[in-house]
Amino acid sequence: MTTTTTTPARRRAATGTGGGGRRVAALARAELRLLVRNRTALFNALALPPMTVGLFAAVGGIGDEAPAATGAVLLNLLTFMALAFVVYYNLTVAFVARREELVLKRYLVGECSRAELLVGTAVPALVVALAQTVLGTVAVSVFLTPPAFVNPLLVVVAVLGGAAMLTLLAAATSGLSRTVESAQLTTLPLLVVAIPFAGLFGAPGASTGVLDTIGTFTPLRPITDLMLLGAGGIDGDGQVVTFAETFGAAALPVAVLAAWTVVGALAARRWMRWEPRR
C-alpha cells in the first residue's frame, strides 16, 4: 500500500485560489480583534493623529501662509500620521510579535501562503488608516474650510499606494528586529530621518534647495505630494493647479512611490523572517 504525503504547498494548490480570499478574511478578522483589544494601539491609531493636527492648528503651525490650503494640509498631516504610525510602525511590531510567538510559522505549515499572511495582517491597519482619512475629512469639513478635492483619484493613490509601500517596508524592518522592543529602534530611521523630508512642515512649496530635492526622492514624500495635489490641487512649488494639470504634477511622486514599493518588496523578500532566530 502506497501513501502520499501532502505538503503545505500541495494543500494550497489543491484548495485553489478561491480559498485565498477566505483565508485572508479570517486572518484580517483575527488581527482586527487583537487591535481592538489593545487599547494603547487603538488609542494611538484613532486619537494621536487628530491630537497632533489639533496641536499644530492651535499653535498656528499650519496654514498661516496659505489659508485656502489649510483644510488640505491638515487632512494630509492626519493621513500621513495614520500611514506612518498605524501602518508602518504597528505592522512592524505585529510582524515581530507574530514571528516570535511562532504564529507565522504555524500558519505557513497550514494552507496560508506568505503573501496571504502579509495581506491578512495588514488589512486591519489599512482599514484604520482609511477610517482616519474619512474622519479627518469630516472634521476638517465641519470645523475648517473643506478641501477642494481637485483630483480624488490621487488621494486614493496616496493612501492605498502609501499603505502598500509601508506594509512591505514594515515586513522588511521586522526581519531586522530581534524583539518587539527592538522594533522601536529599527523603525526610527524611517520615522525620524524621512519625516523631516516629507514636506509636512511649513506652507506648501516653502522649501527649496538641495535638501528639498533630496526629500523628493525619500519614501514618505510622495504621500504628501499626492495628498496635496489630490485634496488641494497644490503642486510641489505651492502653486494651485487645475484637475488636468494634477496628472502631470503627479508623475514624479507616483514614480517615486512605485520605486519605493519595489524596493520594499525586494527588501521584504530578502530580510523578513518567518520564525525566530535560533
Side-chain angles (χ1 to χ4, degrees):
M1 181 183 224
T2 302
T3 59
T4 302
T5 302
T6 304
T7 64
R10 288 179 179 175
R11 285 199 296 271
R12 287 193 288 267
T15 56
T17 58
R22 292 191 296 271
R23 290 191 292 271
V24 169
L27 286 170
R29 286 194 298 270
E31 291 292 335
L32 188 58
R33 284 195 294 268
L34 290 175
L35 177 62
V36 171
R37 291 173 184 173
N38 189 336
R39 300 299 176 85
T40 302
L42 194 61
F43 175 83
N44 291 336
L46 298 179
L48 183 59
M51 290 173 61
T52 303
V53 172
L55 175 62
F56 274 95
V59 301
I62 296 178
D64 286 349
E65 300 181 25
T70 300
V73 174
L74 285 173
L75 179 60
N76 167 57
L77 179 58
L78 184 60
T79 303
F80 184 94
M81 297 293 286
L83 290 175
F85 290 97
V86 177
V87 176
Y88 177 66
Y89 178 78
N90 283 358
L91 274 183
T92 300
V93 173
F95 286 139
V96 174
R98 306 297 179 271
R99 181 193 70 208
E100 295 302 309
E101 295 168 357
L102 299 179
V103 173
L104 298 181
K105 185 177 181 179
R106 287 197 295 269
Y107 276 132
L108 286 177
V109 173
E111 296 180 355
C112 286
S113 67
R114 295 185 176 185
E116 290 168 354
L117 276 176
L118 285 177
V119 174
T121 306
V123 164
L126 177 58
V127 169
V128 172
L130 290 174
Q132 192 68 71
T133 302
V134 173
L135 291 174
T137 302
V138 173
V140 169
S141 300
V142 170
F143 298 106
L144 298 168
T145 302
F149 286 109
V150 176
N151 192 339
L153 176 61
L154 296 183
V155 175
V156 175
V157 173
V159 176
L160 297 184
M165 174 193 67
L166 290 173
T167 296
L168 293 170
L169 291 177
T173 305
S174 71
L176 305 176
S177 310
R178 297 187 66 89
T179 64
V180 171
E181 291 75 17
S182 66
Q184 300 176 18
L185 298 177
T186 55
T187 54
L188 283 181
L190 186 67
L191 296 178
V192 174
V193 177
I195 283 181
F197 290 98
L200 293 174
F201 309 106
S207 300
T208 57
V210 177
L211 291 180
D212 183 66
T213 301
I214 295 174
T216 301
F217 298 96
T218 56
L220 300 181
R221 181 63 173 270
I223 298 173
T224 293
D225 289 343
L226 291 173
M227 281 296 299
L228 291 179
L229 273 172
I234 306 169
D235 65 10
D237 297 324
Q239 302 298 317
V240 178
V241 296
T242 64
F243 170 77
E245 292 171 336
T246 58
F247 289 101
L252 181 58
V254 169
V256 173
L257 181 62
W260 277 106
T261 302
V262 173
V263 170
L266 295 175
R269 184 174 182 178
R270 171 66 178 83
W271 288 319
M272 185 174 184
R273 303 180 67 91
W274 301 91
E275 58 183 277
R277 292 182 175 88
R278 297 184 182 278

